[in-house]
Every structure is written in structure tokens, then in C-alpha cells.
Amino acid sequence: MPSASSAPANHKMSLTSSTSVSSLSSLDKGEYLNKVSARSTSSAAMENGIDDSEDEKHTRTLSSSSYLSQKKKVKKKRPPIMVNLSGTKYDIVRRVAEQFSIVTNKEEDQTSFLFWSDSFVSSERIVDLKPFQKINHFPGMGEICRKDCLARNLTKIGKSHPEEFSFSPRTWIFPSEYNAFQCYVRDLKKKKKHKTFICKPANGAMGNGISLYRNGEKIPQHDHMIVQEYLDKPFVIEGYKFDLRVYVLVTSCDPLRIFLYNDGLVRLSTEKYCHPTDTNVDQLFMHLTNYSVNKRSDNFEKTDEVDSGSKRSIKYLNDFLRRNDYDVAALWKNIQDLIVKTMVVAEPHVLHAYRMCRPGQPPGSDSVCFEILGFDILLDRKLKPWLLEINRSPSFGTDQKIDQEIKGGLLEDTFRLLNMKPSDKRKGMAAQKLESQKRLLRPTRRSEIELTELDKKKIIVEKRKEELKERLAQVRRESAREEYENRNMGRFRRIFPPADKFSIEKYTGLLADAFQLFLSGRAASLQREVTRTFRQLREDEILDMLQQCELDGAEFRDGKLVPRGPKPLSCMPSAADSMADEASELSPPDSPRDNRGRSSSRVQGTVGRKGRPVSAQRPSTRPQSGARSRSLTRPLSSRMTPVGSINPAVDEAFINAAVKERDEEMTKKTCVALSDMRIKFPGKTDEEAEVILLQLQDNWKFHKPRIASYWLVKLDSIKRRKVIDIVRSNVRAVLQRTWRLNDVDTLRLYRIFNRVFNRLLWSHGQGLWNCFSTSGNSWETIFSKSTDVISSTEMQCCRRIVQLCRDCLLIVYQFASEAKNSMATQSHSDGPPPSRSMSVRPPRPGFSSSSSISSFPQQNTMSPVSQRMSRLYSSSRSALDA
């Protein structure tokens, strides 16, 4: 009974097939079913006695083609970009990420491309990041985001650059500066001045723990608290005090790149502002502008418009200022300058911490960190911006429509600038693998004793070549990055690095001083790299330098030193022919040329010019004028390069030596010019001024207490600074004439002089007064504690400046004494004193003008000092022009 036996067999086969099919994957399931159907068809055909080999072949062909097509489709599928949002509570981040087809994941997935966190991120987490991953916080950013650290760092750098960093209210950190604060309060009380102070927790947020005090003596000595002078004259809108929430994006710290968003929030208080008094000092809805504080007020207005309510947009503020004839461009220029200088303060800390977390990462590579910072800025009545605090995790809450528009646009442009691609993972892992292989396969260093002079020179050339290739790759990466940013900035604008050369030099000098100040001479390589980054060579200059290295490497052939230059000549060309040849090189190729045998007398068989390496090749635009000597292949401009400019054909060490020699020569000229300068007493000759100084020195015991009382007690800090500025301004003019520069702020010598001037004003003028003692060289300690090497000529210039400041103080004192005596004489005479003009134009430094200062001794008051005091002049102007 074949039919009865076949049924159980078929049933058994069906069970097996169903079990096996359920265990198969979705890819192989179709192939298996095709095979089973083919077998069943072939068995049925054999039972019927039918040979169906053609149909079986056709079925197998269809099954194999369907499997290959499925496999091909799987290969084309790209892995999605995933972002880990387990550390954030804001839903707008997820919505914006989905607009860019980014898969969001709220689980702790360590393979994500992006990690977003609302809180502090540990350094260990940044260390574990892969090259293709990013996180929205930098290490070390707490140095400006904590209120106490921000105050400490700004105060520290403000001592060396008081004019540049005057955008923060005066701050004291408790409990370490409690005694200094109480001394300041007592001084205010003696002068019968009243100021309001605001107390904030050092690491607080959202307005918690803030209080105001009218009497500084009542402020308790709490731990981890800062006290600031309250800005009691703010700019108001419709009678309400407000502050600005300005959004700043930092995409990289190596090198530093800062972007400013062109919109933000204007956060208004909910009660109309009045000057702080003892009765209203506790009304926080009037004096505080924090959104988290004012949203609890009954007067808080929540609207959907950007130009009304308690929260408005910065675009509305700009329109409001334009309608009232305020200079909006100047305001934002000052805000931009404030932001860049604050980031300059943070850069040494952030870059050092980032390098510690990412060791071995080449400079200029893609950063694994970025950060959106919220700057809280207050405007006073003169529209001067004041920095209140910086938020490293600004709120992305969307309680109102204005929040969705501004914060949504901010996140969209941020994601666009991050430029995350699926291929970043493959490229990053390949680069990491290549770097590891390079470290492992690095050749062992041979002892210098085993190396010959030829080998040492060859190693130097190869090392130089590798450095140039790295710099070339870095310049090309920066160019590509900048080109992408220019196309995709959206509503951002790049504020650092700036576009103009003057701003680059200014901020680079501040960066160098910040590294020197905050790292105390440590990490000198970081400072050199930062300085070199913002003074990059152009790509064509690096290519020319790389070509020169190739020529230098061609000298070492088969272990022998091949001499440079042309081969020996059978006959030398005449002088006239050589000059004609050089003129022909400089003439255009289409110009007519005399062919009377001159081309036959050219140098034949010289060494040909080598091409650039394959990685640095570029189509040459120089005309091929035949084979000539190596010295004639260089353009005329490279042979006539002035000192101090970059000549790719000359070794960099030679250029540095030439620049150093030139600086030494100009420093000597400056020293001569300073030695010829004298203090001029208004209304007296030079000889009379010298006699006055000698008389004061001879009767020093009599004048010493009076001069000390005048300088240290009677003059306040502003007038003391004006006395020093008499010397400072004229020294600046001397430097401008000697160095022939309009802007001398970038000169190393001028920065040294500024350190001396600041030291003389140290401790309320005690620095200059110490110079009158027998050991009056206490100011020289600023150089003994510094890593900068001061030459003897520079030190001589500094000593001369100190002497000029001493003489200036003595002349000012004598002038004040004579003015006081003249006032006493006039008080006993009949009739009132004649009226005199108080604005006298000072004579130009370097010249003496008796007509412009003839009425100077008859003035009656001491204010302002800078318009009446003695001036510096050069007794021999020819020494400056030499």
C-alpha cells in the first residue's frame, strides 16, 4: 500500500521543514523554501515518469538570483547616525536630531556618534571616545563657567591687561577675600560713598541664593560665595531692567573656533526698576532678570510674540535701539570682543585638559568635543556690555513660542556645523589604526656616536620634510573646514579666528600672555603651537619649502654628498651676456628677443629643477626657459626678499636669526632715544628743570615725607595712573618713530615696558615709591620670576623708563607746590584772580613749544593731570631718525 506509507512520510517531512524554516534567518528562508518546492516538484515528476530537468534548472536559477539580489541590497544599506540622549531632558534636541535623519537613542549606547548631556562630563568619558564620536562639553570649561573661577581668572589677567579686561564688575571671593572686601567697604565709608553689593553662590544656578546688601559690613562670611558690585545704572526697556542671553558655539579648542548666534533672548524683570534703597533692596523681581525667578511673579507676561512680554528676542532689541538712534554695530562689536577675550582666558585651561584627555591626537584634527555656552550680559546706560556669568548647560526648555524658534534654530545650525557623516566611523578607525602602526613600526633611534655627519644631515632633512607635510595637511584641512563652515553657518557668524590681521595679532598676543600667566611657563609647546596656528603659512609657501627640502634631499645619493650648483663650464659667459640673460628671464615670453648667438652662450648641462613630491604636486606656472644654473631658477623677488619676510628658499633658522639681529639693533636705537629724553617743566628751560631735580635730591630729607604724602595719599589711583601715562604715551611715540610702526602693542619690547609701568603702580603706587630707596630695584623681580629672557639692552631701557617716571613724579610734585604757593599769594591780593583757560593742548612729543605752555604755571587746579603735567621730549631728534 504505497499510498498509505507515503502519507506519514510526507507528514514527517512537512514537520521537519516547518521546524527548520522557523529556525532559519529571514535571509536564508526564501532560498530554503525554493529548494523544498523544487524537490517536491522533481519527486512528483519522477512518480509520473516525466523528465522535467529544464524546469528544475529554471527554478534553481530564479532562487539563486533572488538570493543575490537580497544580499546586494543589504550591502548598499548604510548604518544610521545614532545620537545618545540619555543625559538630556529636553525634547527639542530629539526633534531637531530627527530632522537630520539621526536615530535617537535614550539608552546608554556607547557606539553612538553623538552624546548629549545636560550636566558636567568627566574626563574619563572623553578619554574613552572614539575619533568619530562627539560630546557636547569640553574639559576644563568650568574655569569660566563657575562664578568664583571666572572672577579669579579675570582678576588675574586684568592685573596685566587692565584696559582689555574691564568688562566684569569688581568681585570678591569669600571666604579668602573677606578681609580685603571689608577694607574696601571701610574706605568707601571714609569717602562717604554708598554702593550696593550682590551676593551669589559660587556654583549656583537659576537665581538660587542671590541676595542684595546696601551695607557691605552686614554681609556674612559664607563659604563658596562671591560678592560683586551691583550695577545700579542699567539700560532699561519700558522702565524694566533686562539682560541678554547670548548663545556661543565653540566647535574646537585645538585650534580655537568660536561662533556667535545672531539671535537670543532678552529677559526682562517683572517690576519697574528703581535705584536700590534700603526699602526695595529685597524686591528680587525688580533687581534680578533670571527667568527662573521672574516666572514665579504674578506680573510675568507670557506671549507668543517676540516683541512683547517678559521674554523677547535680540532682534527686537536691535530694532528698538535703531529706532532710538543707538549704534547697534558698535554694541555688538563690543559684545563680540567681550566673548573672545573671555574665551582667551579659558583657552589655556581647556586646551591643556583636552590634550591630557586625548594624547597623541595631532593638532588641527577634528575635535571630539563641542559646546554651546550661554553668556549672560547686562547693558548699562552707556550701552557698555558687562559680563555677569556663563552657563555651560543653557536651558533648552520651550515654554513659549519664542523659545522654540530661537533654540530650535540654534540647534539646527549647530547640527549642521558638526557635519557628522556615516563615513566618519570608518575614516576615524582607519586613521587610528594607521597611527598605531606608525608608533609600532617606528625605527629605533641610533646613538649619535654611530651617526656620521652625512647621516645627521640626512635625518634633519627628513624630519624637516615630515614637519612640512604635516603642516601642509593641516593647512588643507583648515581650508576645507573653513570652506564648509562658510557654506553652512546659517545664523551663526565666526568671531574667532577673526578675518582682519590686526585682530589676529591682538588676540594672539593676549593668548600668549594667558598661557604664560595661567600655566606659569608649563606646556611651552602648547603656546608655540597656538601661536603658529594663527600665523599659518599659505599653502603655496609650504609647497615651495617642501620643494626646497626635496632639493636638499637630492644631495644625498648613494651615501655620498652631491655638490650643489652647475657642472663645470667649458667657457664662462661674458658679463654683458649674463645681464642680458637675466633681463630675458624677467621679460614676458612674447617679447621680441635678439638671437645673435646669446642663447648659445647660456649655461649648459646644469642641474635641472626637481619636481615637487607626488603628494604636493601642483601645475607650475613658471615659464620653462631652458636649463640654467640653480641660482638663476629662483625668481628675482626671492633674491631680493627684505629681512623679516618669509623666504621659502632660505632655512627658517636663518630667518629667525636675521629677525633677532634686527630686533636687537632696533632695541639699541630705542635705548639711545630713551637716554636722550628729558622731563620738561612747563614754563622753564631744560637747565632750570635739571636744577630743580638736583635741588630736590639735595634736600631729600626735607622733601621725602611731603612727596610720599603727595604720591601715596593725596593722589588717587586715577591721577597716579595719569602721571605714569605721561611717560607711557611718550615712550609709545618714541617706539612708533623708531620701529616705524603705527601699532606697537604687538611689539615684545612694548609689552615688557607695560609690565614695568604696571609694577610701578602696584600696591597703590608703592612700586614707584620703592624706587626712591637705596635698593630701588624691586620692580626687577617681575623678570626674575618669569621664564622670558630679558637681554641687557632691554633691561637698560627698563631702568631708563623707571628713572623717567621718578623724575616725572618730582617735577609734578614741584609744580603742584608752586601752584599751591601762587594760590596762597593770590588769596592775599586785592581783587579776584584772572580767568584762564583750562584746556591747554600739550606740545607734541619730541618738540618744545613755549607758546603752547606759557600759561601752564598760572593754572589753579590739579585736575586733570594728563593735560597739565610735564611732557617728555627728545633733546636730539636726529638720534631717533638715525
Side-chain angles (χ1 to χ4, degrees), residues 547-608:
Q547 179 184 359
Q548 184 62 33
C549 283
E550 293 288 344
L551 291 175
D552 295 338
E555 300 176 6
F556 307 100
R557 295 176 182 173
D558 300 329
K560 296 180 180 180
L561 182 63
V562 179
R564 277 185 171 185
K567 294 181 180 180
L569 303 177
S570 56
C571 61
M572 294 295 293
S574 62
D577 292 342
S578 299
M579 295 176 63
D581 289 339
E582 185 173 355
S584 65
E585 293 175 20
L586 300 176
S587 62
D590 298 334
S591 59
R593 185 179 174 187
D594 191 6
N595 296 324
R596 290 178 295 177
R598 290 184 181 177
S599 60
S600 62
S601 64
R602 300 186 67 141
V603 179
Q604 301 292 333
T606 59
V607 178

Side-chain angles (χ1 to χ4, degrees), residues 559-662:
K560 296 180 180 180
L561 182 63
V562 179
R564 277 185 171 185
K567 294 181 180 180
L569 303 177
S570 56
C571 61
M572 294 295 293
S574 62
D577 292 342
S578 299
M579 295 176 63
D581 289 339
E582 185 173 355
S584 65
E585 293 175 20
L586 300 176
S587 62
D590 298 334
S591 59
R593 185 179 174 187
D594 191 6
N595 296 324
R596 290 178 295 177
R598 290 184 181 177
S599 60
S600 62
S601 64
R602 300 186 67 141
V603 179
Q604 301 292 333
T606 59
V607 178
R609 191 174 71 179
K610 302 293 181 183
R612 287 173 177 162
V614 179
S615 62
Q617 279 185 357
R618 208 178 241 199
S620 176
T621 59
R622 297 177 181 176
Q624 300 293 334
S625 56
R628 29 186 151 138
S629 66
R630 183 175 173 277
S631 61
L632 294 177
T633 57
R634 298 179 185 173
L636 185 63
S637 60
S638 65
R639 282 178 279 163
M640 300 171 60
T641 305
V643 177
S645 62
I646 299 175
N647 185 358
V650 183
D651 189 68
E652 195 169 338
F654 174 76
I655 296 177
N656 294 335
V659 172
K660 185 177 180 181
E661 183 180 356
R662 173 184 174 273

Side-chain angles (χ1 to χ4, degrees), residues 680-685 688 815 849-850 853-858:
K680 182 173 181 59
F681 196 105
K684 297 185 183 295
T685 62
E688 292 174 345
F815 179 81
S849 176
S850 59
I853 60 176
S854 59
S855 61
F856 227 76
Q858 286 83 19

Side-chain angles (χ1 to χ4, degrees), residues 104-132:
T104 59
N105 185 8
K106 290 193 175 182
E107 299 178 359
E108 195 65 28
D109 185 8
Q110 298 301 326
T111 62
S112 300
F113 278 68
L114 175 62
F115 297 88
W116 196 284
S117 176
D118 296 337
S119 58
F120 168 76
V121 176
S122 63
S123 301
E124 290 78 11
R125 192 170 182 183
I126 299 176
V127 171
D128 296 335
L129 290 177
K130 301 293 188 296
F132 66 92

Side-chain angles (χ1 to χ4, degrees), residues 632-842:
L632 294 177
T633 57
R634 298 179 185 173
L636 185 63
S637 60
S638 65
R639 282 178 279 163
M640 300 171 60
T641 305
V643 177
S645 62
I646 299 175
N647 185 358
V650 183
D651 189 68
E652 195 169 338
F654 174 76
I655 296 177
N656 294 335
V659 172
K660 185 177 180 181
E661 183 180 356
R662 173 184 174 273
D663 290 345
E664 290 177 355
E665 181 183 356
M666 300 304 293
T667 304
K668 291 180 180 178
K669 289 186 177 181
T670 304
C671 188
V672 173
L674 292 176
S675 301
D676 293 336
M677 298 178 75
R678 298 291 184 272
I679 302 295
K680 182 173 181 59
F681 196 105
K684 297 185 183 295
T685 62
D686 303 337
E687 292 76 11
E688 292 174 345
E690 291 291 338
V691 170
I692 290 174
L693 292 175
L694 291 176
Q695 290 176 353
L696 290 174
Q697 294 171 4
D698 292 339
N699 300 325
W700 182 244
K701 290 184 179 181
F702 174 79
H703 293 289
K704 180 178 179 180
R706 292 165 176 78
I707 296 176
S709 175
Y710 177 76
W711 173 249
L712 300 175
V713 179
K714 187 173 182 179
L715 295 184
D716 57 9
S717 60
I718 296 177
K719 292 182 179 179
R720 280 194 294 265
R721 181 173 295 277
K722 287 184 177 181
V723 173
I724 297 297
D725 284 344
I726 293 173
V727 182
R728 190 201 300 262
S729 60
N730 287 273
V731 168
R732 182 186 180 93
V734 167
L735 289 175
Q736 288 176 342
R737 292 198 303 270
T738 306
W739 293 72
R740 305 192 185 281
L741 291 174
N742 291 328
D743 179 28
V744 296
D745 292 331
T746 57
L747 282 181
R748 178 177 181 272
L749 189 60
Y750 186 68
R751 292 200 296 267
I752 293 174
F753 291 168
N754 272 334
R755 293 176 64 184
V756 175
F757 289 130
N758 293 333
R759 181 66 180 185
L760 296 181
L761 292 171
W762 167 76
S763 185
H764 306 286
Q766 192 67 39
L768 178 58
W769 182 248
N770 291 340
C771 297
F772 286 92
S773 61
T774 54
S775 58
N777 56 353
S778 61
W779 58 271
E780 296 183 8
T781 57
I782 61 175
F783 300 120
S784 62
K785 297 179 180 179
S786 175
T787 56
D788 292 340
V789 179
I790 306 298
S791 64
S792 58
T793 309
E794 292 170 342
M795 184 60 72
Q796 187 177 355
C797 292
C798 294
R799 292 193 180 101
R800 179 56 185 165
I801 285 177
V802 172
Q803 181 63 39
L804 290 173
C805 291
R806 289 177 52 185
D807 295 346
C808 185
L809 173 57
L810 297 178
I811 293 294
V812 168
Y813 162 75
Q814 183 64 26
F815 179 81
S817 300
E818 293 184 2
K820 185 177 180 180
N821 295 334
S822 63
M823 290 176 61
T825 304
Q826 290 176 3
S827 63
H828 295 289
S829 62
D830 297 331
S835 60
R836 294 171 180 87
S837 175
M838 292 300 298
S839 61
V840 180
R841 185 176 180 181

